[in-house]
Amino acid sequence: MKEGPDIAHIAALIGDPARANMLTALMSGKALTVSELAEEAGVTIQTASSHLSKLDDGGLLRPRKQGRHKYFTLASDDVAHVLESLMGLAAGSGYLRKRTGPRDAELRLARVCYNHLAGDMGTQMFDSLVEQGHLVLLGDELELTKTGAAFATDFEIDIESLRKARAPVCRECLDWSERRSHLAGSLGRAFLSRFEEMHWAKRDQKSRVVTFSRNGAEEFNKLFPGT
């Protein structure tokens, strides 16, 4: 038997169409019930429960109980990172869903990738942070510079708290629609939270779409000018 991680097992868990739809729905960062995930997957609640049990056993989900209800979220940022990368690989290889929804353009402009900003505005923010010298790529590692830390602090993000947490502060995530990087990690999450706190942007509760107000978009473009 070959040694090392069993990627075939994880790939098989993700590769089932119903389970892939459930995992994609959880990329919104919102906790969903069995019935909600069954609807997303187009299967019965009983079948959905079986799928969710397999995903939970595989370490891809985190179940939570609140009262009589059981909710599911993705287990970690690592799971979201793999899913977004797979979406990018599928899109780049021409494997796209044949039916595009009415909100497809909005998803490509700005959406939630688990807990950070993705889409055209997400890649614009990443490119601008790099261009301004706030982020730097050292080999495969993405690092926040001193000027970047000061920039984030001025935006009322507590960098020291982020550094004390277990999650990486900065992380590159390949954007499936733009096929360029957007910012993940705790800093990416903090930026999206600040956009919401300042009422620049709002998440659509029924999709992954992030809608920026007119003023929010103007302020965003001032802070993260496009090239």
Side-chain angles (χ1 to χ4, degrees):
M1 180 180 290
K2 299 289 185 180
E3 297 180 355
D6 185 1
I7 62 172
H9 178 69
I10 296 298
L13 286 173
I14 297 173
D16 178 89
R19 293 196 287 267
N21 283 337
M22 291 179 179
L23 291 168
T24 300
L26 292 171
M27 286 287 281
S28 68
K30 183 180 177 182
L32 298 176
T33 63
V34 176
S35 59
E36 288 171 329
L37 289 167
E39 184 177 353
E40 289 287 343
V43 297
T44 65
I45 291 178
Q46 184 178 5
T47 299
S49 294
S50 175
H51 283 310
L52 291 168
S53 178
K54 291 176 181 177
L55 290 170
D56 183 17
D57 290 343
L60 300 181
L61 294 184
R62 179 187 173 195
R64 304 179 185 180
K65 273 195 172 182
Q66 185 173 332
R68 294 181 301 169
H69 297 287
K70 191 173 186 179
Y71 295 86
F72 292 87
T73 61
L74 296 181
S76 66
D77 286 357
D78 286 336
V79 178
H81 185 71
V82 167
L83 292 172
E84 186 77 3
S85 295
L86 285 172
M87 290 177 192
L89 180 60
S93 301
Y95 294 100
L96 297 169
R97 294 181 180 183
K98 298 187 183 300
R99 291 190 302 170
T100 57
R103 310 207 70 172
D104 187 63
E106 292 173 290
L107 280 168
R108 289 176 179 273
L109 176 63
R111 66 179 180 278
V112 175
C113 177
Y114 189 44
N115 55 23
H116 52 269
L117 182 66
D120 180 65
M121 295 183 78
T123 57
Q124 177 180 326
M125 182 175 76
F126 182 91
D127 291 345
S128 180
L129 288 169
V130 172
E131 182 68 23
Q132 295 179 67
H134 299 327
L135 294 176
V136 62
L137 278 166
L138 299 175
D140 293 331
E141 297 296 321
L142 182 66
E143 292 192 8
L144 182 68
T145 64
K146 288 184 179 179
T147 62
F151 176 86
T153 299
D154 288 343
F155 199 56
E156 298 185 22
I157 292 175
D158 189 345
I159 291 297
E160 290 308 311
S161 293
L162 299 187
R163 284 173 171 160
K164 291 176 184 177
R166 294 173 59 186
V169 174
C170 301
R171 189 171 188 176
E172 242 187 317
C173 188
L174 181 63
D175 194 281
W176 73 260
S177 59
E178 296 303 305
R179 302 185 203 167
R180 305 200 317 272
S181 295
H182 61 242
L183 179 63
S186 59
L187 182 59
R189 178 167 56 247
F191 269 119
L192 179 56
S193 294
R194 284 293 292 143
F195 299 154
E196 293 177 297
E197 288 169 6
M198 298 173 73
H199 303 291
W200 288 10
K202 184 178 180 181
R203 303 188 199 193
D204 185 280
Q205 295 302 311
K206 295 182 180 179
S207 71
R208 296 169 61 194
V209 170
V210 175
T211 303
F212 278 77
S213 66
R214 183 174 181 178
N215 177 67
E218 289 175 354
E219 294 299 323
F220 179 92
N221 287 323
K222 289 178 186 176
L223 199 64
F224 310 103
T227 55

